Amino acid sequence: MPKRGYHHGNLKEALIEAALVLIREKGPTGFTLSEAAKRAGVTPAAVYRHFDGREDLIAEAALQGYHMFADLMEHAYRDGQPSALAAFEATGRAYLAFARVHPGHYIAMFESGISVNRTTELSQASQRARSVMDRAAHELCHNMPEDRRPPASMFSAHIWAMSHGVVELFARNSAGAQSPFAPEDLLETGIGVYLRGLGVLPPDG
Amino acid sequence: MPKRGYHHGNLKEALIEAALVLIREKGPTGFTLSEAAKRAGVTPAAVYRHFDGREDLIAEAALQGYHMFADLMEHAYRDGQPSALAAFEATGRAYLAFARVHPGHYIAMFESGISVNRTTELSQASQRARSVMDRAAHELCHNMPEDRRPPASMFSAHIWAMSHGVVELFARNSAGAQSPFAPEDLLETGIGVYLRGLGVLPPDG
DNA sequence: TGTACATCAGTGAACGCGCGTTCACTGATGTAC
DNA sequence: TGTACATCAGTGAACGCGCGTTCACTGATGTAC
């Protein structure tokens, strides 16, 4: 039987969930430890039984996010196999999908200001997600002519950057400029053009 | 003679500059009205002679940033003319350059959470920057075969997104993943691949 | 040039607030005998 | 099964703090005569 706790049941998880809701609703700035505690039906002091403080709670939410994110990337990658191209495309789409479905985690990971180097655990989790894309990019290169060209990890960085940019600029209402395009279409088309530029898609699809 | 003010000289500008330094050093979260006032050598209450409050001060900094940004984009675009390709590439590079040279403004504009729809002035300033890129993309399309393809503004959105992503993920130390590549190289290569995919660069450069 | 007056940028004290964090405690849960 | 005890998750009161904002004021600057 899972250890259903003493008084609350599973406060730690409840606090993380409360934090995620707050982060999503009010941004990383608006998040407060006290309000997260209140939402979990608990005194602020109770938080300190499970976390070292405010920062640590955010970091824990981010860590959980990185685990989910890496899992999702690996899953997308596997689904695209054995086609290197399909696998690569899938990881790009998975990025946007994750931001859509888990906005609280996404913000905690990429916009809360917590460093990925905070703990080795956090660093490793983020590295696992990165490495999926790197692997996909590497396989894509194997099919390409062996000229001198940028390393594979540069290609994954490009897709990573474009995905992140689409999320930040066009998938959030708050940001700089609303576009007339759906983020999914924007990213799909962008990755398409990019892959054509790599020579792994025919010049005119 | 410029109106050198009563007591301070030019408090409004001094406050904006103080705010920019704080935003750069501590992020939009860490910025406080009181500290900006202190840095300008003035009481917090004095801020209210020039701004409606904390948010308004940030918005003013962002507005100033959008003006500079749009100017810089227009300049880059003009330098690239009459080549549509050079003009388009230049605007992408200008994006990164701006983020490098004016990090405080950049953060106030894109990471502070203030909406571009806050005032019409702010909205117009941001639109001016956007429109430079749109114009460059539009001209690029004129040289392209007239098949059915996504509208020009989609291409500028792609470059916009990739530029933003490169800045956020690889040009700041804090963020998710340090890459072994210089942001400038990363963006240059990425835009290159993308333009090849558009068919406006030869398949192998 | 000198005096009286109006303007208004900046002062300084005060406010209420919610924050993160601490501490001695309490009382429900689990365990030993 | 029943009792005595240990554990420790969560309490509640308290703290010091810096925040954004307000207000009546002051005193330097600019202007009118």
Short mmCIF file of all heavy atoms in Angstrom, two decimals, chain B residues 6-8 11 43 45 49-50, chain C residues 7-14:
data_model
loop_
_atom_site.label_atom_id
_atom_site.label_comp_id
_atom_site.label_asym_id
_atom_site.label_seq_id
_atom_site.Cartn_x
_atom_site.Cartn_y
_atom_site.Cartn_z
N TYR B 6 13.71 71.16 -12.42
CA TYR B 6 13.73 72.00 -11.24
C TYR B 6 14.81 71.56 -10.27
O TYR B 6 15.81 72.23 -10.06
CB TYR B 6 12.35 71.96 -10.58
CG TYR B 6 11.31 72.61 -11.44
CD1 TYR B 6 10.86 72.00 -12.59
CD2 TYR B 6 10.81 73.87 -11.12
CE1 TYR B 6 9.92 72.62 -13.40
CE2 TYR B 6 9.87 74.49 -11.92
CZ TYR B 6 9.42 73.86 -13.06
OH TYR B 6 8.51 74.47 -13.86
N HIS B 7 14.61 70.38 -9.71
CA HIS B 7 15.55 69.94 -8.69
C HIS B 7 16.55 68.92 -9.20
O HIS B 7 17.74 69.06 -9.06
CB HIS B 7 14.79 69.35 -7.51
CG HIS B 7 13.85 70.31 -6.88
ND1 HIS B 7 12.51 70.11 -6.79
CD2 HIS B 7 14.06 71.53 -6.34
CE1 HIS B 7 11.92 71.14 -6.20
NE2 HIS B 7 12.84 72.02 -5.92
N HIS B 8 16.00 67.94 -9.80
CA HIS B 8 16.85 66.80 -10.15
C HIS B 8 17.53 66.96 -11.50
O HIS B 8 18.66 66.52 -11.69
CB HIS B 8 16.02 65.52 -10.15
CG HIS B 8 16.82 64.31 -10.47
ND1 HIS B 8 17.19 63.97 -11.75
CD2 HIS B 8 17.35 63.36 -9.68
CE1 HIS B 8 17.89 62.86 -11.72
NE2 HIS B 8 18.00 62.46 -10.49
N LEU B 11 14.55 63.63 -13.88
CA LEU B 11 14.25 62.46 -13.06
C LEU B 11 13.61 61.34 -13.86
O LEU B 11 13.94 60.18 -13.69
CB LEU B 11 13.32 62.85 -11.92
CG LEU B 11 13.54 62.24 -10.54
CD1 LEU B 11 12.24 62.13 -9.79
CD2 LEU B 11 14.24 60.91 -10.57
N THR B 43 13.27 59.89 -3.31
CA THR B 43 12.29 59.18 -2.49
C THR B 43 11.30 58.41 -3.37
O THR B 43 10.96 58.88 -4.45
CB THR B 43 11.52 60.21 -1.65
OG1 THR B 43 12.32 60.60 -0.55
CG2 THR B 43 10.21 59.67 -1.16
N ALA B 45 8.24 58.19 -3.27
CA ALA B 45 7.06 59.01 -3.59
C ALA B 45 7.29 59.89 -4.81
O ALA B 45 6.35 60.24 -5.54
CB ALA B 45 6.68 59.86 -2.39
N ARG B 49 5.39 61.51 -9.41
CA ARG B 49 5.31 62.75 -10.19
C ARG B 49 5.43 62.48 -11.69
O ARG B 49 5.05 63.30 -12.50
CB ARG B 49 6.42 63.71 -9.79
CG ARG B 49 6.34 64.25 -8.39
CD ARG B 49 5.29 65.32 -8.26
NE ARG B 49 4.95 65.49 -6.84
CZ ARG B 49 3.79 65.93 -6.42
NH1 ARG B 49 2.84 66.25 -7.28
NH2 ARG B 49 3.56 66.06 -5.13
N HIS B 50 6.00 61.30 -12.03
CA HIS B 50 6.30 61.03 -13.43
C HIS B 50 5.63 59.77 -13.97
O HIS B 50 5.47 59.63 -15.18
CB HIS B 50 7.81 60.92 -13.62
CG HIS B 50 8.56 62.15 -13.22
ND1 HIS B 50 8.68 63.23 -14.05
CD2 HIS B 50 9.18 62.48 -12.08
CE1 HIS B 50 9.37 64.17 -13.43
NE2 HIS B 50 9.69 63.75 -12.23
P DT C 7 -0.55 79.03 -9.90
OP1 DT C 7 -1.36 79.01 -11.13
OP2 DT C 7 -1.15 78.68 -8.60
"O5'" DT C 7 0.72 78.11 -10.14
"C5'" DT C 7 1.63 78.44 -11.20
"C4'" DT C 7 2.83 77.51 -11.16
"O4'" DT C 7 3.67 77.82 -10.02
"C3'" DT C 7 2.47 76.02 -11.02
"O3'" DT C 7 3.18 75.30 -12.00
"C2'" DT C 7 2.94 75.66 -9.62
"C1'" DT C 7 4.12 76.61 -9.45
N1 DT C 7 4.53 76.91 -8.05
C2 DT C 7 5.86 76.88 -7.72
O2 DT C 7 6.74 76.62 -8.51
N3 DT C 7 6.13 77.18 -6.41
C4 DT C 7 5.21 77.49 -5.42
O4 DT C 7 5.58 77.73 -4.27
C5 DT C 7 3.83 77.50 -5.84
C7 DT C 7 2.76 77.82 -4.85
C6 DT C 7 3.55 77.22 -7.12
P DC C 8 2.54 73.96 -12.63
OP1 DC C 8 2.48 74.16 -14.09
OP2 DC C 8 1.34 73.58 -11.86
"O5'" DC C 8 3.65 72.88 -12.31
"C5'" DC C 8 5.00 73.27 -12.00
"C4'" DC C 8 5.59 72.35 -10.95
"O4'" DC C 8 5.55 73.02 -9.65
"C3'" DC C 8 4.84 71.02 -10.74
"O3'" DC C 8 5.79 69.99 -10.53
"C2'" DC C 8 4.07 71.25 -9.45
"C1'" DC C 8 5.14 72.05 -8.71
N1 DC C 8 4.68 72.73 -7.47
C2 DC C 8 5.64 73.26 -6.61
O2 DC C 8 6.83 73.17 -6.90
N3 DC C 8 5.23 73.87 -5.47
C4 DC C 8 3.92 73.94 -5.18
N4 DC C 8 3.56 74.56 -4.05
C5 DC C 8 2.92 73.40 -6.05
C6 DC C 8 3.35 72.81 -7.18
P DA C 9 6.16 68.99 -11.71
OP1 DA C 9 6.24 69.74 -12.97
OP2 DA C 9 5.25 67.85 -11.57
"O5'" DA C 9 7.63 68.54 -11.31
"C5'" DA C 9 8.71 69.46 -11.41
"C4'" DA C 9 9.78 69.13 -10.38
"O4'" DA C 9 9.38 69.62 -9.09
"C3'" DA C 9 10.05 67.64 -10.18
"O3'" DA C 9 11.42 67.48 -9.83
"C2'" DA C 9 9.14 67.26 -9.02
"C1'" DA C 9 9.18 68.53 -8.18
N9 DA C 9 7.93 68.83 -7.47
C8 DA C 9 6.64 68.65 -7.91
N7 DA C 9 5.73 69.04 -7.05
C5 DA C 9 6.46 69.50 -5.97
C6 DA C 9 6.08 70.04 -4.73
N6 DA C 9 4.82 70.22 -4.35
N1 DA C 9 7.06 70.40 -3.87
C2 DA C 9 8.34 70.24 -4.26
N3 DA C 9 8.83 69.74 -5.40
C4 DA C 9 7.82 69.38 -6.21
P DG C 10 12.01 66.04 -9.53
OP1 DG C 10 13.43 66.07 -9.89
OP2 DG C 10 11.10 65.02 -10.12
"O5'" DG C 10 11.90 65.93 -7.95
"C5'" DG C 10 12.92 66.53 -7.15
"C4'" DG C 10 12.55 66.41 -5.70
"O4'" DG C 10 11.21 66.91 -5.51
"C3'" DG C 10 12.55 64.98 -5.12
"O3'" DG C 10 13.45 64.93 -4.02
"C2'" DG C 10 11.11 64.74 -4.74
"C1'" DG C 10 10.62 66.16 -4.47
N9 DG C 10 9.18 66.29 -4.52
C8 DG C 10 8.33 65.92 -5.56
N7 DG C 10 7.07 66.16 -5.29
C5 DG C 10 7.07 66.70 -4.01
C6 DG C 10 6.00 67.16 -3.19
O6 DG C 10 4.80 67.16 -3.45
N1 DG C 10 6.47 67.65 -1.97
C2 DG C 10 7.77 67.70 -1.59
N2 DG C 10 8.02 68.19 -0.38
N3 DG C 10 8.79 67.27 -2.34
C4 DG C 10 8.37 66.80 -3.53
P DT C 11 13.42 63.77 -2.91
OP1 DT C 11 14.82 63.63 -2.46
OP2 DT C 11 12.67 62.61 -3.41
"O5'" DT C 11 12.58 64.44 -1.74
"C5'" DT C 11 13.01 65.67 -1.17
"C4'" DT C 11 12.34 65.90 0.17
"O4'" DT C 11 10.91 66.06 -0.03
"C3'" DT C 11 12.51 64.77 1.19
"O3'" DT C 11 12.83 65.35 2.44
"C2'" DT C 11 11.15 64.07 1.19
"C1'" DT C 11 10.21 65.22 0.86
N1 DT C 11 8.95 64.84 0.14
C2 DT C 11 7.73 65.12 0.71
O2 DT C 11 7.61 65.64 1.79
N3 DT C 11 6.65 64.75 -0.05
C4 DT C 11 6.66 64.16 -1.29
O4 DT C 11 5.63 63.88 -1.89
C5 DT C 11 7.98 63.89 -1.83
C7 DT C 11 8.11 63.25 -3.17
C6 DT C 11 9.05 64.24 -1.10
P DG C 12 13.83 64.57 3.46
OP1 DG C 12 14.63 65.59 4.14
OP2 DG C 12 14.48 63.48 2.71
"O5'" DG C 12 12.81 63.94 4.50
"C5'" DG C 12 11.92 64.80 5.19
"C4'" DG C 12 10.76 64.01 5.77
"O4'" DG C 12 9.76 63.76 4.75
"C3'" DG C 12 11.14 62.62 6.30
"O3'" DG C 12 10.34 62.36 7.44
"C2'" DG C 12 10.73 61.69 5.16
"C1'" DG C 12 9.43 62.38 4.78
N9 DG C 12 8.89 62.00 3.50
C8 DG C 12 9.54 61.45 2.42
N7 DG C 12 8.76 61.23 1.40
C5 DG C 12 7.51 61.64 1.82
C6 DG C 12 6.26 61.64 1.15
O6 DG C 12 6.00 61.26 0.01
N1 DG C 12 5.24 62.17 1.95
C2 DG C 12 5.40 62.61 3.24
N2 DG C 12 4.31 63.07 3.86
N3 DG C 12 6.56 62.62 3.87
C4 DG C 12 7.57 62.13 3.10
P DA C 13 10.95 61.77 8.79
OP1 DA C 13 11.72 62.88 9.43
OP2 DA C 13 11.60 60.46 8.56
"O5'" DA C 13 9.60 61.55 9.59
"C5'" DA C 13 8.53 62.47 9.41
"C4'" DA C 13 7.23 61.72 9.17
"O4'" DA C 13 7.03 61.46 7.76
"C3'" DA C 13 7.14 60.36 9.87
"O3'" DA C 13 5.95 60.32 10.61
"C2'" DA C 13 7.14 59.37 8.72
"C1'" DA C 13 6.43 60.20 7.63
N9 DA C 13 6.62 59.71 6.27
C8 DA C 13 7.80 59.32 5.68
N7 DA C 13 7.65 58.93 4.44
C5 DA C 13 6.30 59.06 4.19
C6 DA C 13 5.51 58.81 3.05
N6 DA C 13 6.00 58.35 1.90
N1 DA C 13 4.19 59.05 3.14
C2 DA C 13 3.69 59.51 4.29
N3 DA C 13 4.34 59.80 5.43
C4 DA C 13 5.65 59.54 5.31
P DA C 14 5.67 59.23 11.77
OP1 DA C 14 5.44 59.94 13.05
OP2 DA C 14 6.71 58.18 11.67
"O5'" DA C 14 4.31 58.62 11.28
"C5'" DA C 14 3.43 59.38 10.44
"C4'" DA C 14 2.66 58.46 9.53
"O4'" DA C 14 3.39 58.27 8.30
"C3'" DA C 14 2.47 57.05 10.10
"O3'" DA C 14 1.13 56.92 10.58
"C2'" DA C 14 2.74 56.12 8.92
"C1'" DA C 14 2.95 57.05 7.74
N9 DA C 14 3.97 56.60 6.79
C8 DA C 14 5.30 56.36 7.04
N7 DA C 14 5.97 55.97 5.98
C5 DA C 14 5.02 55.95 4.97
C6 DA C 14 5.10 55.62 3.60
N6 DA C 14 6.22 55.24 3.01
N1 DA C 14 3.96 55.70 2.88
C2 DA C 14 2.83 56.09 3.49
N3 DA C 14 2.63 56.43 4.76
C4 DA C 14 3.78 56.33 5.45
#
